[in-house]
Amino acid sequence: MREIRTLACTALRTATSATLAAFARAITGVRPIWAGTGPSDRQRIYFANHASHGDFILLSACLPPRERMRTRAVAGADYWGKSKLRRFIAEDMLSSVLVERNWVERTVDPLAVMLKTLDQGDSLIFFPEGTRNMTEEPLLRFRSGLYNLAVTRPDVELVPCWIENMSRVLPKGEFLPVPLLCRVVFGAPIAPTQDEERRAFLDRARDALLALDPRPRRDGKP
C-alpha cells in the first residue's frame, strides 16, 4: 500500500509540476536570464525575493524539467499547514518543504527539516526574507536561515534569483493571475568566506540579489 501511495504521489507531483510550468509560461511569458550561471545538475539552493505565493512556481518554470523535479520550495507551515487541503496541495501536489516559522511555538527545528531534504539529494527554493514583502522596500532584511544552510552544507551552491513582476501578476489575496510579462534573473553563486560573520554574509547575499533587479533603482544608484 505504501509503495502504491508513493507512486501515486510521484505521478501527481510530476503532472502538477508540468502543468504549473506550462501555465506560468502561458500567463507571464516568463523567461530565465542566466546572468551569472546556467542550468546545472549540481545540488543548489536558489534564494529569491518573495512578494507572492506564485514566486516559487515562476522560478520552477524556468528550470529544465529534470532539475525542476528535484527542486522543492521551502514554505511556511503556519499558512500551508492550516488545513488538510492546504497541506495536501503543498506537500502532495507541490512537493513543498514545510517549516515552522514561529520560534516560540514550533516543535521541529526548520534547519533540521531543510537539511534532511538536502541530504535526500534535492535542491531548494528558499526565501531569505522569511515572509512575503508587502512594503515599498525592494527587499526585507535577510534572516539567519540562508547563512545556517550555507555553513552547514558548503558543497551546495547558493544561487541568487531575482523574480520580476510576480507581485503584480498574483497580488496578495487574489487567486486569479493577471497576464503580465515576467523574468527570473539567475546570478552567480555565492558562498561564505573564511571567518565571515553571519550578518556580513547575509548583507552580501542581499546585495547580490538586489544587483540582479533589472528595474532602475529609485535612489538613483546603479
Side-chain angles (χ1 to χ4, degrees), residues 21 25 32 34 39 44 46 58-69 71 125 186:
R25 288 191 288 265
W34 299 96
R44 286 174 163 177
Y46 296 98
L58 206 67
L59 198 159
S60 294
C62 292
L63 302 177
R66 179 177 172 180
E67 191 173 355
R68 185 170 66 241
M69 282 303 300
T71 301
I125 295 173
F186 295 81

Side-chain angles (χ1 to χ4, degrees), residues 5 21 60 88 114 119 151 159 183:
R5 186 180 187 279
S60 294
F88 173 76
M114 292 185 286
D119 291 343
V151 298
V159 179
R183 291 178 289 181

Side-chain angles (χ1 to χ4, degrees), residues 138-139 142 162 205-215 217:
L139 281 177
F142 279 13
W162 186 268
R206 186 177 182 275
D207 289 342
L209 185 53
L210 276 174
L212 300 177
D213 184 355
R215 298 171 301 178
R217 290 280 294 274

Side-chain angles (χ1 to χ4, degrees), residues 50-52 129 131-137 140 167 171-172:
H50 190 27
S52 167
E129 296 167 279
T131 187
R132 282 178 291 166
N133 182 5
M134 299 289 105
T135 73
E136 294 298 318
E137 295 296 320
L140 301 176
S167 61
K172 184 177 181 179

